[in-house]
Amino acid sequence: MKLIRILLPFLISHGLMAQFYKKSDPFVHTYSIVAMDSITGDMAVAVQSHWFSVGSVVTYGKAGVGVVATQSLVNPSYGPKGLALMEQGLSPDQALKSLLDNDPGEMYRQVAFLNHEGQVATHTGSLCIDEAGHFQGPYFSVQANMMLNPTVWDAMARAFKSTKGNLSTRVMAALKAAEFEKGDIRGKQSAAILIVKGEATGHIWEDVLMDLRVEDHNNPLQELERLIKMHTAYDFMNKGDLAMEEGNSIKAENLYMQAQYLFPENLEMTYWYAINLLNNKDYNRAFPILKSVFQKDKNWKTLTGRLVKSKLLLIGENKLKEVMAL
């Protein structure tokens, strides 16, 4: 067994294990989590690795069906095929077994399935590079291979179970716990998170709640956490825009404020908050905010005049002149 592990990179590089591994299969050793929020039903899969663009080959998900993480010597087909089998009614155990039984390289695979009922199935192949293992719990599974220490997956499980908050917060806690245990023996490079709804609406733009990737970064988890925070802020912005379209300026103001609280340095968030104040005829608060924005970037002033035509800014001609004179 040890000899095989020592020779594995040599054999792969010389194409001598084609029956188990294809050059098209990425060499993605990593740690990941599949998890479900038992209250909302939302499902997540997240990953970090010392590999470029890990999210493009490891993470898969479909609302109303489940999520998949496929790693180690990756067979990417486990993602779409696993989801298709679970959508047809197979349990995660049944779906995973059917794929493993037809994969001559199953000993090099590490895969986790989770379905919309919170059931999980995990496989860590016997020839996955040490340290490798997984841990299953209610509504989640964590898995890792080629780790520096064998403590990674247990630490991930403890973090996920003990962390309070929404699904992305708990998933990130698990990933950070892995890194605290020194994570991938090679270091770190990319990370990703995908969250889908537990029940499908039939509209993919509504079914995918979060799909973020850090393709190449010195600290991918830190960057992913920043993107999640920004995603949350822009979600407030999007809801604020919808409230404006519906003519509910009070609701829009509250939503814009929540976005601005998360990213006070973001000019766009500040700007739309001020525009909403104008729509509410709260000129005393709107004018100084807009003046500050215009001083930093005059293009926002040009945009302001255009909003009137689109009826996103409801303001009289005299007040508009005052705004444009700021």
Side-chain angles (χ1 to χ4, degrees), residues 233-291:
Y234 272 92
D235 188 49
F236 284 130
M237 289 292 294
N238 290 334
K239 291 175 180 176
D241 292 346
L242 181 60
M244 282 187 67
E245 290 178 16
E246 295 171 346
N248 191 338
S249 58
I250 301 300
K251 180 180 179 181
E253 179 179 347
N254 179 263
L255 290 164
Y256 288 143
M257 275 295 290
Q258 292 184 69
Q260 195 177 162
Y261 174 77
L262 290 173
F263 278 91
E265 71 279 9
N266 186 294
L267 278 186
E268 179 155 18
M269 293 179 183
T270 303
Y271 173 79
W272 288 111
Y273 170 64
I275 292 299
N276 191 70
L277 291 176
L278 288 182
N279 284 331
N280 289 337
K281 303 187 185 306
D282 193 343
Y283 306 119
N284 290 335
R285 285 199 292 163
F287 281 11
I289 295 174
L290 287 172
K291 183 176 181 180

Side-chain angles (χ1 to χ4, degrees), residues 18-247:
Q19 68 270 37
F20 298 135
Y21 175 80
K22 297 182 298 182
K23 288 184 177 180
S24 60
D25 292 344
F27 199 59
V28 183
H29 299 277
T30 184
Y31 55 80
S32 66
I33 178 172
V34 293
M36 176 180 176
D37 186 319
S38 60
I39 298 175
T40 66
D42 298 341
M43 299 172 291
V45 51
V47 61
Q48 195 281 150
S49 177
H50 187 275
W51 189 267
F52 175 70
S53 189
V54 66
S56 64
V57 292
V58 171
T59 59
Y60 298 85
K62 186 173 183 179
V65 179
V67 290
V68 173
T70 174
Q71 56 200 47
S72 188
L73 297 189
V74 175
N75 183 336
S77 70
Y78 276 72
K81 287 182 179 178
L83 292 174
L85 290 172
M86 289 192 288
E87 189 169 21
Q88 292 171 14
L90 272 67
S91 70
D93 277 326
Q94 293 169 330
L96 182 54
K97 185 178 185 303
S98 69
L99 295 179
L100 292 171
D101 286 348
N102 291 283
D103 182 1
E106 59 82 19
M107 65 286 293
Y108 296 108
R109 315 299 186 200
Q110 189 172 53
V111 191
F113 286 4
L114 177 143
N115 69 5
H116 67 101
E117 295 179 354
Q119 299 171 329
V120 295
T122 318
H123 169 77
T124 298
S126 60
L127 295 186
C128 286
I129 297 176
D130 287 340
E131 300 288 345
H134 63 264
F135 185 104
Q136 291 183 1
Y139 303 106
F140 80 93
S141 174
V142 292
Q143 43 283 328
N145 66 90
M146 201 189 271
M147 298 295 103
L148 183 62
N149 299 311
T151 54
V152 169
W153 45 96
D154 286 345
M156 294 177 71
R158 287 194 301 270
F160 180 77
K161 289 189 291 185
S162 63
T163 301
K164 306 298 181 183
N166 60 27
L167 187 55
S168 64
T169 299
R170 299 179 68 199
V171 163
M172 282 302 300
L175 296 184
K176 288 189 286 185
E179 204 58 45
F180 186 79
E181 298 295 321
K182 307 303 181 184
D184 190 323
I185 196 171
R186 302 163 301 170
K188 50 196 175 184
Q189 184 173 359
S190 65
I193 184 170
L194 171 64
I195 301 180
V196 296
K197 288 184 177 181
E199 293 186 12
T201 65
H203 303 147
I204 191 170
W205 56 93
E206 296 177 4
D207 288 347
V208 178
L209 300 175
M210 185 180 294
D211 188 3
L212 301 174
R213 295 178 183 176
V214 178
E215 310 291 23
D216 183 35
H217 198 277
N218 290 334
N219 196 331
L221 290 187
Q222 185 180 72
E223 176 63 6
L224 184 60
E225 193 166 37
R226 186 188 72 84
L227 293 179
I228 290 173
K229 182 181 177 183
M230 184 167 286
H231 182 280
T232 302
Y234 272 92
D235 188 49
F236 284 130
M237 289 292 294
N238 290 334
K239 291 175 180 176
D241 292 346
L242 181 60
M244 282 187 67
E245 290 178 16
E246 295 171 346

